[in-house]
Amino acid sequence: MSKFKKSFHIKGRDFIRAGEASISVQNLLKSMDFDPRLTRRIAICGYESEMNVVMHGGDGTLSIEVDTDRLILEVTDDGPGIDDIDLAMQAGFSTANDDHREMGFGAGMGLPNMKKNSDQIQVESKKNQETVVRMIFFVPEGEETH
Ligand SMILES: Nc1ncnc2c1ncn2[C@@H]1O[C@H](COP(=O)(O)OP(=O)(O)OP(=O)(O)O)[C@@H](O)[C@H]1O
Ligand SMILES: [Mg+2]
């Protein structure tokens, strides 16, 4: 049973507020005394997943669930979905447009970075459907949350 779960709204295409949800998750974890390296990995994954919703997705939610031996970061958005998940996971693949690239995005490294920085990642999506990305981070034995 999870100890608690907190969710933050993400608004699609809102580049002014982009990043606020992942900063809220990061601040929450900082206040809870987790290993700073673990907090940093989750912050990277939170930021990359929030930017993907803002750029490629619809409106969505970033949530963090704290359990005794793990933390679960989940990002969902209401479309347009990912056509080919295996392709999207490949380093360098991007459908970012010129505006995104001018802002410095579009290297196609967000999903590979999320995979690298999490212990497990699951992506569920289909064209014209919602996208759910779930990342699990194990808390090392002896550092369990109380
Ligand atoms: N939530 C989403 N909804 C729809 N498509 C997505 C979503 N997240 C990722 N994608 C697709 O997967 C591709 C790869 O995502 P990834 O985060 O790896 O790279 P990027 O966002 O294009 O560039 P970068 O993250 O390096 O700035 C995106 O270009 C987009 O086509
Ligand atoms: Mg990205």
Side-chain angles (χ1 to χ4, degrees):
M1 203 185 75
S2 82
K3 295 168 63 175
F4 77 84
K5 182 171 174 176
K6 206 156 164 45
S7 300
F8 303 91
H9 184 66
I10 305 172
K11 193 154 167 39
R13 288 158 297 280
D14 185 348
F15 284 90
I16 306 287
R17 302 195 63 181
E20 285 185 6
S22 47
I23 285 174
S24 299
V25 167
Q26 186 178 7
N27 286 339
L28 183 72
L29 297 179
K30 272 188 182 166
S31 74
M32 291 183 70
D33 273 348
F34 286 107
D35 179 342
R37 287 168 300 184
L38 179 65
T39 299
R40 186 175 152 71
R41 285 166 55 214
I42 296 173
I44 290 167
C45 292
Y47 176 73
E48 293 288 3
S49 54
E50 180 173 11
M51 291 318 302
N52 276 357
V53 172
V54 172
M55 270 195 290
H56 314 294
D59 290 333
T61 303
L62 180 70
S63 69
I64 183 79
E65 188 176 334
V66 177
D67 216 330
T68 316
D69 66 340
R70 67 190 62 191
L71 288 97
I72 300 156
L73 184 71
E74 194 174 80
V75 64
T76 64
D77 73 81
D78 61 5
I82 302 176
D83 206 2
D84 183 336
I85 294 173
D86 288 340
L87 187 60
M89 293 296 294
Q90 282 180 25
F93 176 81
S94 177
T95 58
N97 64 30
D98 289 347
D99 289 345
H100 300 150
R101 289 173 196 276
E102 258 177 43
M103 288 185 273
F105 300 108
M109 289 310 294
L111 284 167
N113 241 334
M114 287 151 69
K115 185 173 182 188
K116 191 177 96 188
N117 281 285
S118 58
D119 292 312
Q120 282 178 16
I121 184 167
Q122 292 169 329
V123 183
E124 285 168 32
S125 187
K126 277 192 185 133
K127 197 177 171 74
N128 298 325
Q129 285 184 25
E130 65 162 13
T131 298
V132 181
V133 183
R134 199 175 146 86
M135 288 154 278
I136 300 180
F137 304 82
F138 295 110
V139 178
E141 226 174 299
E143 291 175 24
E144 291 95 341
T145 58
H146 299 293

